[in-house]
Amino acid sequence: LLSDEQMRHFLAYGYVKLKTQLPTSFHRSVYERTEEVFAKEGNPGNNLLPRVPQVHKVFDDPVIRGALASVLGHDYVMHSHRHPHISPAGGQGGGWHKDSYWGYRKVRCHRTRWAMIFYYPQDVTTENGPTGVIPGTHYYDTPVARDDESLHQMVCGEAGTATLVHFDLWHRAYPNTSDANRYMMKFQFT
């Protein structure tokens, strides 16, 4: 389970970084397979798990299972929507946003009913298009502090980093100034 400090961070800021216990070679194989799928078939979207089945192991990792159970309860379920996001080499990134509830009324709730895991199969640096978050904005409906860069946080880490994110947190992709694609695999849980 999350430590008290990790739980406080998640509640206050809307996210917490995690590190899977899987070896670097595992994440490298996920990255290589993802590159292959994107090159041959395009973005698999909700078909991510059948196309890159080893990603299942990320969600069997005790660190990830414990974090999800800490915020959603032990009976959490993985939602059927998932999406691998590519930040292509030289890409411009994206704008600040909150994810939608796929056709449902936009019910925002301070109590965590939905959460996301952002999984990165490669090292994420400030150069290759990290995910940006605005800490604490899961408590706001409007993008407060969107223009105050001093409040923005870039989520960086080595291959195998996963970020547990409150569903209502404002986030974006930063530009990728590197010469390699950066992948972030988004999964939803309730």
Side-chain angles (χ1 to χ4, degrees):
L1 298 175
L2 293 176
S3 69
D4 289 348
E5 185 54 40
Q6 288 173 308
M7 195 65 175
R8 276 191 293 273
H9 193 277
F10 180 81
L11 291 172
Y13 301 117
Y15 75 101
V16 64
K17 275 182 22 175
L18 308 166
K19 179 68 173 94
T20 65
Q21 297 174 349
L22 297 161
T24 303
S25 59
F26 169 83
H27 304 298
R28 186 173 23 262
S29 74
V30 170
Y31 183 87
E32 290 167 358
R33 175 65 183 149
T34 304
E35 284 269 81
E36 182 181 318
V37 168
F38 267 75
K40 291 181 179 176
E41 305 169 23
N43 191 323
N46 288 338
N47 242 2
L48 173 61
L49 288 176
R51 302 309 303 133
V52 189
Q54 61 262 54
V55 173
H56 278 287
K57 290 183 180 180
V58 171
F59 300 104
D60 289 335
D61 188 290
V63 171
I64 304 302
R65 283 195 338 252
L68 287 165
S70 293
V71 300
L72 295 172
H74 289 284
D75 58 347
Y76 70 86
V77 294
M78 181 186 284
H79 192 273
S80 60
H81 174 62
R82 60 208 43 130
H83 192 78
H85 290 271
I86 182 173
S87 182
Q92 297 303 305
W96 291 107
H97 66 281
K98 287 186 181 197
D99 286 19
S100 72
Y101 285 91
W102 279 81
Y104 297 101
R105 204 178 94 218
K106 291 191 177 192
V107 180
R108 304 292 181 191
C109 185
H110 295 316
R111 286 178 283 181
T112 306
R113 306 280 190 225
W114 289 69
M116 296 182 285
I117 291 283
F118 297 162
Y119 161 66
Y120 305 91
Q122 75 288 300
D123 292 348
V124 179
T125 66
T126 58
E127 289 79 31
N128 69 351
T131 301
V133 297
I134 307 176
T137 56
H138 55 302
Y139 292 117
Y140 299 95
D141 198 35
T142 56
V144 298
R146 181 174 55 191
D147 298 324
D148 186 351
E149 291 185 24
S150 69
L151 299 176
H152 303 171
Q153 295 291 314
M154 290 185 186
V155 181
C156 299
E158 59 190 35
T161 295
T163 306
L164 175 62
V165 180
H166 189 289
F167 194 82
D168 293 335
L169 188 70
W170 285 88
H171 60 280
R172 67 168 286 199
Y174 274 92
N176 182 349
T177 59
S178 77
D179 59 359
N181 295 329
R182 188 273 293 155
Y183 294 98
M184 181 274 281
M185 299 178 184
K186 177 188 76 176
F187 286 78
Q188 296 180 10
F189 298 85
T190 187

